[in-house]
Amino acid sequence: MTDAAPPDLMRQLEALGGQLVWRIGKDEVSDQVVVRLGFASATPRFSFLPKLRSAGDAELQEAVEAGRVVIEWVD
């Protein structure tokens, strides 16, 4: 059984989540799953990064379980 987060923390996380954008896919060169995350104000900068190939749910789950996920913060 897990403890629920305090209500104030949940409100703060929900507010933060509303300001974020992300892209998830596979790197064309390394084949690693990449999660790109940034504030909505950084959205134009996503287009300057290398393209990500689409990845299915099974591929994403496999990468998470194997620890092959790269998280990139986009400023």
Side-chain angles (χ1 to χ4, degrees):
M1 186 164 134
T2 61
D3 293 327
D8 188 47
L9 176 59
M10 291 302 295
R11 281 190 296 277
Q12 291 174 1
L13 290 173
E14 287 179 23
L16 176 63
Q19 299 175 33
L20 298 175
V21 293
W22 58 89
R23 297 238 169 85
I24 301 173
K26 293 181 87 174
D27 182 80
E28 290 183 333
V29 177
S30 70
D31 213 36
Q32 286 184 311
V33 170
V34 177
V35 177
R36 292 189 178 139
L37 178 67
F39 287 110
S41 60
T43 300
R45 291 186 278 287
F46 277 72
S47 65
F48 294 102
L49 298 171
K51 299 257 186 237
L52 297 175
R53 292 185 291 119
S54 64
D57 290 345
E59 291 175 294
L60 296 175
Q61 183 66 34
E62 180 183 318
V64 168
E65 290 172 358
R68 294 189 332 259
V69 177
V70 177
I71 299 175
E72 298 176 354
W73 179 257
V74 179
D75 286 323

